Amino acid sequence: LRLHSAHENPKEGNLRMPWTYGEKGLELARKFFRLRYNLLPYIYTYCRVAYDDALPVVRPLYLEHRSLEKAYSYPHEYMFGRELLVAPVTDSTGEKETYLPPGEWTDYFSGKKYRGDQVVRERYPLDRLPVFVKSGSIIPLQPDVAHTDQKPLDTLIVEVYGPERAEFRLYEDDGISLDYQSGKNAWTPLKFAPSSRGRYQLTIGPTKGEFNGQPTVRAYELRFHGLKQPRSVSAEGRRLSPGQTGPQGWWWDKEKSVVKVVTEAKRIRQSVQVIIETE
């Protein structure tokens, strides 16, 4: 993660530092720094995958789609883990041609949906990067922080891209020592699935494993993409109120078609079940 470059040469017009471009440049840098910190639970999990399986976090398309001929023809886009596809814009036009493998894909920033196995041509403003999430994915996030160990992960943000079945295993350790090598670490399963027509269930945990500094309780902010407007939402068998301002409740973002659910803190050794019934 770098803002500068060995190729920066102001005399030749190569200006890389964000403050060179005033407040707008600084805010763009802040936005993507915040995104990187938000994504740390996802990134850290894939760092553990790299340690265990020698699979890189940044993957060429052909590593995930070996049999697709087009996966070998777009070397300037990549998978970031298995759930995210990234296609950096590398010239001043703002235009990018991106190949999306088979499946359904959602633009991470705009929420626009695309069918897969096609080439998408778009013009992107400076504050957006071509990042796509495949339907059937779960992305774990954390709230905004100023540095990596500012606070324990006592609130987990979970982005669910349905309506297809999705799974993710969140990895954690103390982030400092080598104790993970002797088994001091933890895994938390996250599973989303349709249980019947118009009815969906997300199950989180229970967490297995322990490490120094591990939070014992955790609250959840859940964001469900790709579902219809709910007629009811329940957590642990208890029906939640829409728009509730207390520790639990749910909201429907009609513009983005996203269901947001907030739960009160629960012990990590217990499972949390959220059921959404749509119209």
Side-chain angles (χ1 to χ4, degrees):
L1 180 68
R2 298 177 65 175
L3 289 175
H4 63 285
S5 167
H7 297 289
E8 178 168 21
N9 187 337
K11 292 183 179 180
E12 296 178 359
N14 297 325
L15 304 176
R16 303 295 179 95
M17 298 299 187
W19 48 83
T20 304
Y21 301 92
E23 186 58 34
K24 183 176 181 180
L26 285 171
E27 186 50 41
L28 285 171
R30 290 189 191 105
K31 174 178 179 175
F32 286 97
F33 266 102
R34 285 192 293 264
L35 175 61
R36 186 256 183 173
Y37 280 105
N38 293 151
L39 281 167
L40 277 178
Y42 178 83
I43 295 171
Y44 204 70
T45 296
Y46 272 105
C47 287
R48 178 68 201 217
V49 172
Y51 173 81
D52 287 336
D53 302 328
L55 284 170
V57 181
V58 176
R59 308 174 179 187
L61 290 188
Y62 56 76
L63 195 59
E64 289 294 329
H65 305 279
R66 301 178 186 84
S67 61
L68 282 177
E69 184 177 345
K70 286 186 178 179
Y72 298 84
S73 301
Y74 290 84
H76 300 297
E77 61 184 75
Y78 58 88
M79 300 299 297
F80 192 60
R82 299 193 67 182
E83 287 79 8
L84 298 174
L85 186 152
V86 186
V89 177
T90 55
D91 60 50
S92 60
T93 67
E95 294 183 348
K96 187 65 180 182
E97 180 180 285
T98 306
Y99 171 68
L100 299 176
E104 298 292 327
W105 298 84
T106 300
D107 185 303
Y108 184 82
F109 293 102
S110 71
K112 184 177 178 181
K113 299 188 182 303
Y114 299 85
R115 60 174 177 81
D117 199 21
Q118 68 161 329
V119 175
V120 174
R121 296 175 180 86
E122 299 277 358
R123 181 185 296 271
Y124 295 88
L126 283 175
D127 64 347
R128 274 181 57 203
L129 182 70
V131 178
F132 302 88
V133 190
K134 188 173 183 180
S135 293
S137 294
I138 294 176
I139 310 292
L141 306 166
Q142 68 178 4
D144 289 341
V145 293
H147 51 86
T148 56
D149 59 352
Q150 179 179 350
K151 56 180 295 187
L153 188 59
D154 54 10
T155 297
L156 184 68
I157 300 170
V158 182
E159 301 262 12
V160 179
Y161 288 81
E164 291 86 356
R165 183 182 302 272
E167 294 187 12
F168 193 90
R169 292 180 72 223
L170 173 70
Y171 173 76
E172 299 171 272
D173 58 34
D174 65 21
I176 300 172
S177 73
L178 299 180
D179 287 349
Y180 67 91
Q181 294 179 340
S182 57
K184 290 192 174 182
N185 54 67
W187 293 89
T188 303
L190 299 94
K191 297 182 179 182
F192 172 79
S195 56
S196 61
R197 184 175 178 85
R199 191 173 190 266
Y200 304 90
Q201 179 172 305
L202 174 69
T203 304
I204 301 173
T207 297
K208 300 290 182 64
E210 58 185 36
F211 55 88
N212 292 333
Q214 183 181 28
T216 58
V217 296
R218 179 171 286 157
Y220 299 96
E221 180 180 318
L222 315 171
R223 304 168 187 167
F224 298 87
H225 304 253
L227 306 185
K228 296 180 180 179
Q229 182 173 354
R231 56 185 177 86
S232 71
V233 176
S234 60
E236 297 306 296
R238 177 184 173 188
R239 193 159 180 164
L240 305 183
S241 299
Q244 185 171 330
T245 57
Q248 293 197 129
W250 68 272
W251 296 261
W252 168 248
D253 186 331
K254 183 178 180 180
E255 182 179 348
K256 296 182 179 180
S257 296
V258 174
V259 186
K260 178 181 175 181
V261 181
V262 175
T263 75
E264 60 186 2
K266 303 282 187 180
R267 299 188 68 84
I268 64 170
R269 305 300 176 190
Q270 299 174 326
S271 65
V272 175
Q273 292 186 338
V274 174
I275 294 176
I276 296 177
E277 296 191 39
T278 61
E279 296 180 346

